[in-house]
Amino acid sequence: MSALSGKTILILSTNGFEQSELDVPHAKLKEAGATVHIVSPDAGEITGWDQKDWGRAVKVDKTLDEVSADAYDAIVLPGGQMNPDTLRGNPKALALIEAFFKQGKVVAAVCHAPWLLIDTGIAKGRRLTSYGTMKQDMINAGALWEDSEVVTDKGVVTSRKPEDLPAFVAKIIEEINEGRHERKAA
């Protein structure tokens, strides 16, 4: 039996995601047996950012209006600068992330995606990491920031950069298999 057989995971993204930070979790979580849906505010395709230029387009499986946290076991938030900065201005995206958190489900964010944890209030009082230039943002939001390849705090999984993706995905799989996480308010 696969590690994530019977599990369903939502990857929330829009244009400007860091290509590897969507592609690697998408492929590895599917390889582990999960059903993985790419969800975006708009239907069609979204285009990544691949280091220094636009990357490849990825098909959107469902729009924000078509999903609910109730149907999924975890949410994965790819980074890049543009993607999370755009999503943090979308109340439906923030509400979806909050719903996963409130239900005790895995919330995983890499690179600049922890901005979304700031805007949902999830960062406050939690051990987290992020891309290095966000350190002060995280501290200002009340996070207990640390410079580690992956940090987990009761099902909230964060990583710093593309080089950390193997550890990030492994920790997501481990946390999903632990089941729901009890969380106290910060």
Side-chain angles (χ1 to χ4, degrees), residues 95-168:
L96 180 66
I97 296 164
E98 286 181 71
F100 274 89
F101 181 76
K102 287 178 181 172
Q103 291 179 23
K105 296 179 177 180
V106 173
V107 175
V110 62
C111 190
H112 286 79
W115 271 334
L116 297 162
L117 305 182
I118 291 172
D119 286 21
T120 56
I122 294 169
K124 187 174 184 176
R126 305 222 169 272
R127 289 180 50 246
L128 301 172
T129 195
S130 65
Y131 193 71
T133 60
M134 289 181 50
K135 175 182 178 179
Q136 197 60 52
D137 293 348
M138 302 303 289
I139 292 168
N140 290 346
L144 308 171
W145 190 88
E146 59 185 76
D147 187 13
S148 300
E149 69 178 355
V150 66
V151 175
T152 305
D153 188 325
K154 296 186 173 94
V156 178
V157 180
T158 52
S159 278
R160 304 170 301 187
K161 55 191 174 185
E163 293 81 5
D164 297 339
L165 288 170
F168 180 63

Side-chain angles (χ1 to χ4, degrees), residues 26-52:
H26 185 248
K28 295 295 182 189
L29 294 168
K30 284 176 73 171
E31 282 175 24
T35 298
V36 183
H37 295 149
I38 295 173
V39 174
S40 190
D42 300 309
E45 292 181 336
I46 53 176
T47 303
W49 186 261
D50 198 356
Q51 298 176 14
K52 297 182 184 197

